[in-house]
Amino acid sequence: MSEMLSETALDQLFRTARTFNAWLPKDVSDEQLHQLYDLAKFGPTSANCSPMRVVFVRSKEAKEKLSPFMSDGNRAKTLVAPVTAIIAIDYEFYEQLPKLFPHADARSWFAGNQPLIDATAFRNASLQGAYVIAAARSLGLDCGPMSGFDQDGVNEAFFAGTKIKSNFMINIGYGDASRDLFPRSPRLSFDEACKIV
Amino acid sequence: MSEMLSETALDQLFRTARTFNAWLPKDVSDEQLHQLYDLAKFGPTSANCSPMRVVFVRSKEAKEKLSPFMSDGNRAKTLVAPVTAIIAIDYEFYEQLPKLFPHADARSWFAGNQPLIDATAFRNASLQGAYVIAAARSLGLDCGPMSGFDQDGVNEAFFAGTKIKSNFMINIGYGDASRDLFPRSPRLSFDEACKIV
């Protein structure tokens, strides 16, 4: 049976983790990105459908390709972040189900049912995006998730000719807590957000 | 600067964590559910919009209210799970933004823009559902997430007269690894799901 993680770990994952807007000049390696995915991939999705696809934008050239699609408030920090992960959704995820869920014909549950495809893809790729955030923090990396960008523009520039669409982005690196770190905003209390019945 | 969590913690959060279908007869307390939310609430959402609402279904009476809406494959295990969390979405989340995002008029970004409300609510409440899974595992609890239930029926039974809709559910407790634990299904490799540009 598992035990509670240490207070330090709970702080690092949740309580003192913050959304960073400024980054220390320290690179994130290919090996770290593989480690990150090799944790996040184990997070649960319905029928193991695993619809998330990720483009890790790291080179100067790729950052410049991304730059025009960022909202004004997100552009400068994205250009200097060590890596920007485009968390995307493969709306043809069900074609992978014979491999991912080999014990049933799960492909047939989805193929041709567009509302179910759309909801399953969006829900589960978003779950997986959160697993990426948790995995990054577990590895000692900091995150700056963002929704402010031109989704259609990013789709055309990075995913043309596919059924893959952008969902949100995460700047990843080593946060600089001395710059552009906003005060922690309030959260809803347990009684405002939850009930036990 | 943060460090990588221990191998034990990475296992507990990701690598050896599993979706459980059978549960040990051991209760989950009010205090544990508060601890769980008080970790998960710190996970990032866009403009701190925090659209997730949770009903922790724990009493026999509430389980029986939920039971008819579960798919056949999810009913029996849900009835015996110590707690079933209905992860729901408040589509009026923007009414909380004057409190949650006090430094700008964020409510005005959403009010009246239904496509933006819908996408923001679904994406961010799903992220928060994943934070609940990560928080539960951090506390030494096990999870069994599920999408197989009658969403409209649950909405009518638990959220009538509100703008809150069910998203997915998570059975929470202490998993019994000796029963109904399926072999780990394969995941997409890094090169199948990701690229570095």
Side-chain angles (χ1 to χ4, degrees):
Chain A
M1 197 173 293
S2 300
E3 297 186 357
M4 194 182 302
L5 300 186
S6 70
E7 297 294 324
T8 306
L10 298 178
D11 283 346
Q12 181 169 327
L13 287 166
F14 297 105
R15 294 188 299 219
T16 60
R18 300 297 313 281
T19 288
F20 281 90
N21 296 299
W23 302 95
L24 298 171
K26 187 173 172 191
D27 291 342
V28 174
S29 68
D30 282 27
E31 186 188 352
Q32 287 175 295
L33 297 178
H34 278 77
Q35 286 178 317
L36 195 171
Y37 177 73
D38 284 336
L39 293 173
K41 71 181 181 185
F42 287 122
T45 56
S46 55
N48 194 33
C49 64
S50 309
M52 179 183 71
R53 305 292 178 267
V54 186
V55 178
F56 293 106
V57 178
R58 195 177 56 180
S59 69
K60 187 167 185 301
E61 184 181 41
K63 284 290 187 77
E64 285 172 1
K65 184 174 164 187
L66 183 59
S67 176
F69 307 114
M70 303 308 295
S71 69
D72 288 344
N74 287 334
R75 184 172 297 114
K77 64 187 178 187
T78 297
L79 281 168
V80 300
V83 178
T84 303
I86 304 175
I87 303 295
I89 307 171
D90 186 352
Y91 283 90
E92 278 183 345
F93 69 87
Y94 51 90
E95 298 295 355
Q96 303 292 331
L97 285 173
K99 174 165 56 186
L100 295 174
F101 200 76
H103 37 292
D105 180 15
R107 182 185 179 284
S108 69
W109 305 341
F110 296 97
N113 185 341
Q114 199 62 46
L116 183 64
I117 291 170
D118 289 347
T120 302
F122 192 22
R123 177 185 302 114
N124 286 282
S126 297
L127 294 179
Q128 290 187 282
Y131 304 147
V132 168
I133 294 171
R137 291 173 170 178
S138 295
L139 294 173
L141 294 164
D142 295 306
C143 293
M146 303 173 288
S147 297
F149 60 93
D150 170 0
Q151 286 195 318
D152 291 341
V154 170
N155 295 344
E156 183 60 31
F158 287 88
F159 306 113
T162 75
K163 292 288 180 69
I164 301 174
K165 307 284 183 196
S166 54
N167 185 10
F168 70 103
M169 297 192 195
I170 311 171
N171 285 330
I172 299 173
Y174 298 89
D176 183 348
S178 74
R179 293 184 293 135
D180 303 332
L181 186 63
F182 303 131
R184 167 78 86 187
S185 292
R187 296 301 197 267
L188 297 176
S189 69
F190 185 92
D191 290 339
E192 288 172 310
C194 305
K195 60 181 171 181
I196 303 173
V197 297
Chain B
M1 197 174 291
S2 300
E3 296 186 358
M4 192 182 302
L5 300 186
S6 69
E7 296 295 324
T8 305
L10 297 178
D11 283 346
Q12 181 169 328
L13 287 167
F14 298 105
R15 293 187 300 216
T16 61
R18 300 297 312 281
T19 288
F20 282 89
N21 296 299
W23 301 97
L24 298 171
K26 188 174 172 189
D27 291 341
V28 175
S29 68
D30 282 25
E31 185 188 353
Q32 286 175 297
L33 297 178
H34 278 78
Q35 285 179 317
L36 194 172
Y37 176 73
D38 284 336
L39 293 173
K41 71 181 181 185
F42 286 122
T45 56
S46 57
N48 194 34
C49 63
S50 309
M52 179 182 72
R53 304 293 179 266
V54 186
V55 177
F56 293 106
V57 179
R58 195 177 55 179
S59 69
K60 188 167 185 296
E61 182 181 44
K63 283 290 186 78
E64 284 172 1
K65 184 174 164 187
L66 183 61
S67 177
F69 308 114
M70 302 308 296
S71 70
D72 289 344
N74 287 335
R75 184 171 296 114
K77 64 187 179 186
T78 297
L79 281 169
V80 299
V83 178
T84 303
I86 305 175
I87 303 295
I89 307 170
D90 186 352
Y91 284 91
E92 280 184 343
F93 69 87
Y94 51 90
E95 298 294 357
Q96 303 293 330
L97 285 173
K99 175 164 54 186
L100 294 174
F101 201 75
H103 37 291
D105 179 16
R107 182 185 179 282
S108 69
W109 306 341
F110 295 97
N113 186 341
Q114 198 63 47
L116 183 64
I117 290 170
D118 289 347
T120 301
F122 192 21
R123 177 186 301 115
N124 286 282
S126 297
L127 294 179
Q128 289 186 283
Y131 303 147
V132 168
I133 294 171
R137 291 173 170 178
S138 297
L139 293 173
L141 294 163
D142 295 306
C143 294
M146 305 173 288
S147 296
F149 61 93
D150 172 358
Q151 285 194 319
D152 291 340
V154 170
N155 295 345
E156 183 60 29
F158 288 87
F159 306 113
T162 74
K163 291 290 181 65
I164 301 174
K165 307 284 183 196
S166 55
N167 185 10
F168 69 104
M169 296 191 195
I170 312 171
N171 285 331
I172 299 174
Y174 298 90
D176 183 349
S178 74
R179 293 184 294 135
D180 303 332
L181 186 64
F182 303 131
R184 168 78 89 186
S185 292
R187 296 301 197 266
L188 297 176
S189 70
F190 185 93
D191 290 339
E192 289 173 309
C194 306
K195 61 181 171 180
I196 302 173
V197 298

PDB file of all heavy atoms in Angstrom, chain B residues 95-113:
ATOM      1  N   GLU B  95     -18.505  33.609 -13.259  1.00  0.00           N
ATOM      2  CA  GLU B  95     -19.070  34.445 -12.191  1.00  0.00           C
ATOM      3  C   GLU B  95     -18.164  34.478 -10.960  1.00  0.00           C
ATOM      4  O   GLU B  95     -18.319  35.342 -10.100  1.00  0.00           O
ATOM      5  CB  GLU B  95     -20.471  33.942 -11.798  1.00  0.00           C
ATOM      6  CG  GLU B  95     -21.498  33.993 -12.931  1.00  0.00           C
ATOM      7  CD  GLU B  95     -21.841  35.407 -13.384  1.00  0.00           C
ATOM      8  OE1 GLU B  95     -21.337  36.393 -12.787  1.00  0.00           O
ATOM      9  OE2 GLU B  95     -22.590  35.527 -14.382  1.00  0.00           O
ATOM     10  N   GLN B  96     -17.236  33.534 -10.849  1.00  0.00           N
ATOM     11  CA  GLN B  96     -16.285  33.510  -9.720  1.00  0.00           C
ATOM     12  C   GLN B  96     -15.008  34.307 -10.010  1.00  0.00           C
ATOM     13  O   GLN B  96     -14.159  34.438  -9.119  1.00  0.00           O
ATOM     14  CB  GLN B  96     -15.885  32.054  -9.401  1.00  0.00           C
ATOM     15  CG  GLN B  96     -17.053  31.135  -9.075  1.00  0.00           C
ATOM     16  CD  GLN B  96     -17.738  31.491  -7.771  1.00  0.00           C
ATOM     17  OE1 GLN B  96     -17.108  32.012  -6.855  1.00  0.00           O
ATOM     18  NE2 GLN B  96     -19.034  31.242  -7.706  1.00  0.00           N
ATOM     19  N   LEU B  97     -14.856  34.791 -11.242  1.00  0.00           N
ATOM     20  CA  LEU B  97     -13.571  35.405 -11.603  1.00  0.00           C
ATOM     21  C   LEU B  97     -13.263  36.703 -10.861  1.00  0.00           C
ATOM     22  O   LEU B  97     -12.081  36.974 -10.599  1.00  0.00           O
ATOM     23  CB  LEU B  97     -13.482  35.596 -13.124  1.00  0.00           C
ATOM     24  CG  LEU B  97     -13.231  34.275 -13.875  1.00  0.00           C
ATOM     25  CD1 LEU B  97     -13.325  34.489 -15.384  1.00  0.00           C
ATOM     26  CD2 LEU B  97     -11.868  33.709 -13.523  1.00  0.00           C
ATOM     27  N   PRO B  98     -14.255  37.521 -10.502  1.00  0.00           N
ATOM     28  CA  PRO B  98     -13.891  38.703  -9.692  1.00  0.00           C
ATOM     29  C   PRO B  98     -13.164  38.313  -8.400  1.00  0.00           C
ATOM     30  O   PRO B  98     -12.310  39.060  -7.931  1.00  0.00           O
ATOM     31  CB  PRO B  98     -15.261  39.342  -9.413  1.00  0.00           C
ATOM     32  CG  PRO B  98     -16.091  38.951 -10.589  1.00  0.00           C
ATOM     33  CD  PRO B  98     -15.662  37.525 -10.916  1.00  0.00           C
ATOM     34  N   LYS B  99     -13.485  37.138  -7.859  1.00  0.00           N
ATOM     35  CA  LYS B  99     -12.766  36.657  -6.675  1.00  0.00           C
ATOM     36  C   LYS B  99     -11.458  35.950  -7.045  1.00  0.00           C
ATOM     37  O   LYS B  99     -10.427  36.156  -6.402  1.00  0.00           O
ATOM     38  CB  LYS B  99     -13.663  35.683  -5.907  1.00  0.00           C
ATOM     39  CG  LYS B  99     -12.992  35.019  -4.720  1.00  0.00           C
ATOM     40  CD  LYS B  99     -14.000  34.371  -3.777  1.00  0.00           C
ATOM     41  CE  LYS B  99     -14.927  33.399  -4.496  1.00  0.00           C
ATOM     42  NZ  LYS B  99     -15.987  32.906  -3.590  1.00  0.00           N
ATOM     43  N   LEU B 100     -11.513  35.112  -8.092  1.00  0.00           N
ATOM     44  CA  LEU B 100     -10.376  34.237  -8.405  1.00  0.00           C
ATOM     45  C   LEU B 100      -9.267  34.953  -9.177  1.00  0.00           C
ATOM     46  O   LEU B 100      -8.114  34.511  -9.164  1.00  0.00           O
ATOM     47  CB  LEU B 100     -10.852  33.026  -9.220  1.00  0.00           C
ATOM     48  CG  LEU B 100     -11.791  32.059  -8.484  1.00  0.00           C
ATOM     49  CD1 LEU B 100     -12.311  30.993  -9.445  1.00  0.00           C
ATOM     50  CD2 LEU B 100     -11.070  31.406  -7.312  1.00  0.00           C
ATOM     51  N   PHE B 101      -9.619  36.006  -9.894  1.00  0.00           N
ATOM     52  CA  PHE B 101      -8.644  36.720 -10.735  1.00  0.00           C
ATOM     53  C   PHE B 101      -8.881  38.211 -10.525  1.00  0.00           C
ATOM     54  O   PHE B 101      -9.346  38.923 -11.421  1.00  0.00           O
ATOM     55  CB  PHE B 101      -8.864  36.315 -12.201  1.00  0.00           C
ATOM     56  CG  PHE B 101      -7.680  36.563 -13.099  1.00  0.00           C
ATOM     57  CD1 PHE B 101      -6.560  35.740 -13.048  1.00  0.00           C
ATOM     58  CD2 PHE B 101      -7.693  37.605 -14.018  1.00  0.00           C
ATOM     59  CE1 PHE B 101      -5.473  35.960 -13.895  1.00  0.00           C
ATOM     60  CE2 PHE B 101      -6.606  37.826 -14.872  1.00  0.00           C
ATOM     61  CZ  PHE B 101      -5.506  36.997 -14.808  1.00  0.00           C
ATOM     62  N   PRO B 102      -8.568  38.697  -9.296  1.00  0.00           N
ATOM     63  CA  PRO B 102      -9.027  40.036  -8.907  1.00  0.00           C
ATOM     64  C   PRO B 102      -8.316  41.181  -9.608  1.00  0.00           C
ATOM     65  O   PRO B 102      -8.800  42.313  -9.561  1.00  0.00           O
ATOM     66  CB  PRO B 102      -8.761  40.059  -7.392  1.00  0.00           C
ATOM     67  CG  PRO B 102      -7.719  39.024  -7.168  1.00  0.00           C
ATOM     68  CD  PRO B 102      -7.918  37.971  -8.206  1.00  0.00           C
ATOM     69  N   HIS B 103      -7.185  40.907 -10.288  1.00  0.00           N
ATOM     70  CA  HIS B 103      -6.388  42.004 -10.836  1.00  0.00           C
ATOM     71  C   HIS B 103      -6.793  42.407 -12.251  1.00  0.00           C
ATOM     72  O   HIS B 103      -6.135  43.224 -12.874  1.00  0.00           O
ATOM     73  CB  HIS B 103      -4.897  41.678 -10.759  1.00  0.00           C
ATOM     74  CG  HIS B 103      -4.573  40.243 -11.019  1.00  0.00           C
ATOM     75  ND1 HIS B 103      -4.928  39.236 -10.140  1.00  0.00           N
ATOM     76  CD2 HIS B 103      -3.960  39.635 -12.048  1.00  0.00           C
ATOM     77  CE1 HIS B 103      -4.520  38.070 -10.615  1.00  0.00           C
ATOM     78  NE2 HIS B 103      -3.952  38.289 -11.777  1.00  0.00           N
ATOM     79  N   ALA B 104      -7.868  41.811 -12.795  1.00  0.00           N
ATOM     80  CA  ALA B 104      -8.354  42.230 -14.117  1.00  0.00           C
ATOM     81  C   ALA B 104      -9.830  41.879 -14.203  1.00  0.00           C
ATOM     82  O   ALA B 104     -10.335  41.087 -13.408  1.00  0.00           O
ATOM     83  CB  ALA B 104      -7.584  41.518 -15.232  1.00  0.00           C
ATOM     84  N   ASP B 105     -10.519  42.466 -15.159  1.00  0.00           N
ATOM     85  CA  ASP B 105     -11.933  42.149 -15.347  1.00  0.00           C
ATOM     86  C   ASP B 105     -12.054  40.909 -16.225  1.00  0.00           C
ATOM     87  O   ASP B 105     -12.511  40.963 -17.370  1.00  0.00           O
ATOM     88  CB  ASP B 105     -12.670  43.334 -15.967  1.00  0.00           C
ATOM     89  CG  ASP B 105     -14.150  43.016 -16.187  1.00  0.00           C
ATOM     90  OD1 ASP B 105     -14.658  42.030 -15.599  1.00  0.00           O
ATOM     91  OD2 ASP B 105     -14.786  43.749 -16.964  1.00  0.00           O
ATOM     92  N   ALA B 106     -11.642  39.766 -15.689  1.00  0.00           N
ATOM     93  CA  ALA B 106     -11.613  38.536 -16.474  1.00  0.00           C
ATOM     94  C   ALA B 106     -13.008  38.023 -16.792  1.00  0.00           C
ATOM     95  O   ALA B 106     -13.217  37.332 -17.793  1.00  0.00           O
ATOM     96  CB  ALA B 106     -10.804  37.466 -15.743  1.00  0.00           C
ATOM     97  N   ARG B 107     -13.984  38.376 -15.960  1.00  0.00           N
ATOM     98  CA  ARG B 107     -15.359  37.946 -16.247  1.00  0.00           C
ATOM     99  C   ARG B 107     -15.795  38.405 -17.642  1.00  0.00           C
ATOM    100  O   ARG B 107     -16.446  37.667 -18.377  1.00  0.00           O
ATOM    101  CB  ARG B 107     -16.299  38.506 -15.182  1.00  0.00           C
ATOM    102  CG  ARG B 107     -17.749  38.068 -15.366  1.00  0.00           C
ATOM    103  CD  ARG B 107     -18.690  38.739 -14.365  1.00  0.00           C
ATOM    104  NE  ARG B 107     -20.065  38.309 -14.593  1.00  0.00           N
ATOM    105  CZ  ARG B 107     -20.825  38.778 -15.566  1.00  0.00           C
ATOM    106  NH1 ARG B 107     -20.376  39.698 -16.400  1.00  0.00           N
ATOM    107  NH2 ARG B 107     -22.076  38.323 -15.713  1.00  0.00           N
ATOM    108  N   SER B 108     -15.389  39.623 -18.000  1.00  0.00           N
ATOM    109  CA  SER B 108     -15.837  40.187 -19.289  1.00  0.00           C
ATOM    110  C   SER B 108     -15.209  39.466 -20.481  1.00  0.00           C
ATOM    111  O   SER B 108     -15.705  39.577 -21.598  1.00  0.00           O
ATOM    112  CB  SER B 108     -15.498  41.677 -19.358  1.00  0.00           C
ATOM    113  OG  SER B 108     -14.087  41.857 -19.440  1.00  0.00           O
ATOM    114  N   TRP B 109     -14.128  38.725 -20.283  1.00  0.00           N
ATOM    115  CA  TRP B 109     -13.535  37.971 -21.377  1.00  0.00           C
ATOM    116  C   TRP B 109     -14.439  36.812 -21.804  1.00  0.00           C
ATOM    117  O   TRP B 109     -14.331  36.312 -22.922  1.00  0.00           O
ATOM    118  CB  TRP B 109     -12.171  37.383 -20.986  1.00  0.00           C
ATOM    119  CG  TRP B 109     -11.179  38.368 -20.464  1.00  0.00           C
ATOM    120  CD1 TRP B 109     -11.194  39.731 -20.612  1.00  0.00           C
ATOM    121  CD2 TRP B 109     -10.003  38.072 -19.683  1.00  0.00           C
ATOM    122  NE1 TRP B 109     -10.116  40.295 -19.978  1.00  0.00           N
ATOM    123  CE2 TRP B 109      -9.357  39.301 -19.397  1.00  0.00           C
ATOM    124  CE3 TRP B 109      -9.429  36.898 -19.204  1.00  0.00           C
ATOM    125  CZ2 TRP B 109      -8.182  39.391 -18.655  1.00  0.00           C
ATOM    126  CZ3 TRP B 109      -8.251  36.980 -18.457  1.00  0.00           C
ATOM    127  CH2 TRP B 109      -7.643  38.210 -18.195  1.00  0.00           C
ATOM    128  N   PHE B 110     -15.271  36.360 -20.858  1.00  0.00           N
ATOM    129  CA  PHE B 110     -16.058  35.146 -21.095  1.00  0.00           C
ATOM    130  C   PHE B 110     -17.557  35.417 -21.271  1.00  0.00           C
ATOM    131  O   PHE B 110     -18.184  34.825 -22.155  1.00  0.00           O
ATOM    132  CB  PHE B 110     -15.856  34.164 -19.933  1.00  0.00           C
ATOM    133  CG  PHE B 110     -14.448  33.659 -19.823  1.00  0.00           C
ATOM    134  CD1 PHE B 110     -13.548  34.231 -18.937  1.00  0.00           C
ATOM    135  CD2 PHE B 110     -14.003  32.623 -20.625  1.00  0.00           C
ATOM    136  CE1 PHE B 110     -12.235  33.785 -18.842  1.00  0.00           C
ATOM    137  CE2 PHE B 110     -12.693  32.166 -20.535  1.00  0.00           C
ATOM    138  CZ  PHE B 110     -11.811  32.748 -19.642  1.00  0.00           C
ATOM    139  N   ALA B 111     -18.118  36.263 -20.429  1.00  0.00           N
ATOM    140  CA  ALA B 111     -19.578  36.420 -20.393  1.00  0.00           C
ATOM    141  C   ALA B 111     -20.109  36.734 -21.791  1.00  0.00           C
ATOM    142  O   ALA B 111     -19.651  37.677 -22.448  1.00  0.00           O
ATOM    143  CB  ALA B 111     -19.959  37.522 -19.404  1.00  0.00           C
ATOM    144  N   GLY B 112     -21.040  35.915 -22.259  1.00  0.00           N
ATOM    145  CA  GLY B 112     -21.645  36.115 -23.571  1.00  0.00           C
ATOM    146  C   GLY B 112     -20.935  35.406 -24.707  1.00  0.00           C
ATOM    147  O   GLY B 112     -21.460  35.333 -25.817  1.00  0.00           O
ATOM    148  N   ASN B 113     -19.730  34.874 -24.458  1.00  0.00           N
ATOM    149  CA  ASN B 113     -18.970  34.161 -25.506  1.00  0.00           C
ATOM    150  C   ASN B 113     -19.066  32.653 -25.225  1.00  0.00           C
ATOM    151  O   ASN B 113     -18.161  32.060 -24.625  1.00  0.00           O
ATOM    152  CB  ASN B 113     -17.524  34.647 -25.504  1.00  0.00           C
ATOM    153  CG  ASN B 113     -16.713  34.050 -26.667  1.00  0.00           C
ATOM    154  OD1 ASN B 113     -17.100  33.033 -27.247  1.00  0.00           O
ATOM    155  ND2 ASN B 113     -15.593  34.689 -26.984  1.00  0.00           N
TER     156      ASN B 113
END
